[in-house]
Amino acid sequence: MAGRRLGLRKRLALNIFSDLYRSTVAEHRLDTLFWECTLRCNLSCRHCGSDCRVDPGVKDMPVADFLRVLDEEVTPHADPSSVLIIFSGGEVLVRDDLEFAGREVARRGYPWGMVTNGMALTEQRLRGLVDAGLRSISVSLDGFEREHNYIRSNPLSYSKALDAVRLLVREPGLAFDVVTCVTGAMVPQLEAFRDMLIAEGVRSWRLFSIFPMGRAKDDPTLRLSDAQFRRMLEFIRQTRKECRIEVSYACEGFLGGYETEVRDHFYQCAAGISVASIRVDGSISGCTSIRANFHQGNIYRDKFWDVWQNRFEPFRKRDWAKRGECADCKMFRYCLGGGMHLHDDNGDLLYCHYKRL
């Protein structure tokens, strides 16, 4: 199919990128650090990969524990201004000390951002966060009211998220984007939803497809068919040509002929290469989308920087992934087995984006 074909020019560019990527892996310069500060949440979303809830039975990580890692393990080895700290959850706004955490991170010279479902983002709360140094924020808005509330399992979720977006549009100097988990029901409405976002003043939009982990594993209503997946990519490609809103597909998998046409760069999984996370229990891993039991150490017994430098081999040497449907794939050198978050407990690939095309 057209979406799978790689022209000669793109193949040559991919070869060059693959060589450059190897040097990036060898350097593994940390530029993004996620802090999973809580697993508490004010929603119970159908697609949640972390199975978050109001009382998850896991305590929030104390701010002091995270700051200790920054002071003792990150700052001595990296320029704070070049490492973005992202507060994630759960839902970060359930923490009443978030502003304090933000101020302390900013005081150390680190830019910081956050991911939120928008339920608890009021004008007063936003002002406090901005005053505490907030630089960027992502808000989840998964479609129009019916589709969004279905995913989020709360009748107020859409209106709260849209209110949050409207607050952010009016906030000068704050980088923000809307993040949309696209379900089959939303695919025919993407054009209308895009136009609504543009009318609201949104300038940046990221689209995801839901992968079968966590609660989404047993809920087929959330997944796209192959035809719907291709239609979504075609929509993104066309919208990018129109230049009315910055739109991209997530960094989830290799997309064949759609590479550089639905996002600004060739596919790469940055987990363990330039992105690390400290999870709520202290576990050290790549991005927070990766299953919780796949980690390389723990801040309560290991040195973070030693783990980052020496224990991320499964992320940086991907020969182990060349099995199953990847074993004989000619695209393996470009995708290296896809995103780390798309592998199960046995290391098997849950699904291949390229194969879907």
Side-chain angles (χ1 to χ4, degrees):
M1 293 190 177
R4 297 194 65 183
R5 285 199 294 268
L6 285 172
L8 177 61
R9 183 177 299 178
K10 188 167 289 185
R11 192 179 291 271
L12 289 172
L14 274 166
N15 288 336
I16 294 171
F17 175 79
S18 295
D19 292 338
L20 292 173
Y21 182 65
R22 279 194 288 271
S23 65
T24 301
V25 172
E27 182 183 11
H28 51 265
R29 182 174 64 88
L30 181 67
D31 62 28
T32 304
L33 177 59
F34 283 87
W35 178 35
E36 186 182 60
C37 61
T38 184
L39 282 183
R40 291 184 293 139
C41 192
N42 47 18
L43 291 175
S44 182
C45 304
R46 294 176 183 271
H47 67 304
C48 183
S50 302
D51 199 24
C52 301
R53 58 192 74 226
V54 174
D55 181 9
V58 180
K59 292 182 179 180
D60 296 353
M61 179 181 286
V63 176
D65 293 0
F66 179 69
L67 295 177
R68 176 183 59 80
V69 175
L70 292 185
D71 292 341
E72 299 178 6
E73 296 294 323
V74 182
T75 301
H77 302 283
D79 176 5
S81 66
S82 66
V83 180
L84 175 64
I85 308 296
I86 300 179
F87 297 179
S88 70
E91 169 51 45
V92 295
L93 290 175
V94 302
R95 289 191 65 137
D96 57 14
D97 61 351
L98 203 64
E99 290 82 354
F100 169 75
R103 281 193 299 272
E104 288 300 309
V105 167
R107 187 170 66 83
R108 288 161 169 79
Y110 291 91
W112 68 276
M114 56 181 278
V115 182
T116 179
N117 59 35
M119 286 288 289
L121 189 64
T122 63
E123 186 170 1
Q124 181 179 4
R125 193 83 200 265
L126 177 59
R127 178 55 44 217
L129 292 165
V130 171
D131 290 345
L134 178 68
R135 298 276 195 88
S136 65
I137 184 169
S138 295
V139 177
S140 297
L141 189 61
D142 300 316
F144 291 113
E145 185 169 18
R146 179 178 177 181
E147 291 74 27
H148 178 92
N149 287 347
Y150 175 76
I151 293 178
R152 301 289 165 174
S153 301
N154 187 301
L156 299 178
S157 179
Y158 175 79
S159 61
K160 293 288 188 179
L162 187 56
D163 286 346
V165 168
R166 288 169 174 165
L167 283 175
L168 296 170
V169 165
R170 301 196 301 268
E171 188 63 40
L174 183 63
F176 90 95
D177 64 356
V178 167
V179 180
T180 299
C181 293
V182 181
T183 58
M186 265 306 296
V187 172
Q189 304 183 71
L190 286 173
E191 289 85 355
F193 188 63
R194 172 200 60 203
D195 294 344
M196 185 272 285
L197 292 179
I198 293 172
E200 291 287 348
V202 175
R203 296 182 179 181
S204 185
W205 183 27
R206 279 183 294 151
L207 283 73
F208 290 72
S209 52
I210 296 172
F211 56 96
M213 291 288 280
R215 294 185 193 137
K217 183 178 181 180
D218 300 315
D219 191 343
T221 67
L222 301 177
R223 297 176 218 157
L224 301 180
S225 68
D226 291 349
Q228 290 170 331
F229 182 64
R230 288 193 298 272
R231 182 173 172 183
M232 177 187 66
L233 294 182
E234 284 292 338
F235 162 78
I236 296 173
R237 178 157 63 178
Q238 181 58 40
T239 297
R240 286 170 65 88
K241 289 180 180 179
E242 296 171 1
C243 298
R244 294 191 295 149
I245 186 172
E246 294 178 9
V247 62
S248 63
Y249 183 66
C251 55
E252 285 197 306
F254 179 71
L255 300 173
Y258 288 103
E259 287 295 312
T260 69
E261 296 181 20
V262 295
R263 51 190 170 217
D264 294 338
H265 51 78
F266 285 116
Y267 167 73
Q268 59 177 312
C269 180
I273 311 303
S274 58
V275 176
S277 67
I278 296 175
R279 307 198 76 131
V280 70
D281 64 352
S283 297
I284 302 166
S285 188
C287 77
T288 52
S289 293
I290 298 168
R291 63 193 187 279
N293 64 350
F294 189 70
H295 52 81
Q296 287 62 54
N298 191 290
I299 64 168
Y300 294 115
R301 61 174 183 268
D302 303 301
K303 296 292 187 181
F304 172 85
W305 200 255
D306 175 66
V307 172
W308 174 251
Q309 291 294 340
N310 303 307
R311 298 197 198 175
F312 273 79
E313 186 170 310
F315 292 79
R316 298 167 187 164
K317 296 181 180 179
R318 300 286 292 272
D319 292 344
W320 58 267
K322 196 171 176 61
R323 60 184 183 181
E325 61 187 300
C326 295
D328 302 317
C329 181
K330 295 179 180 179
M331 298 295 115
F332 184 83
R333 67 167 299 187
Y334 306 132
C335 79
L336 301 176
M340 288 293 292
H341 67 294
L342 294 177
H343 290 265
D344 65 15
D345 290 348
N346 298 317
D348 295 325
L349 188 64
L350 295 171
Y351 73 86
C352 170
H353 287 72
Y354 180 67
K355 186 178 180 180
R356 297 189 72 182
L357 298 174

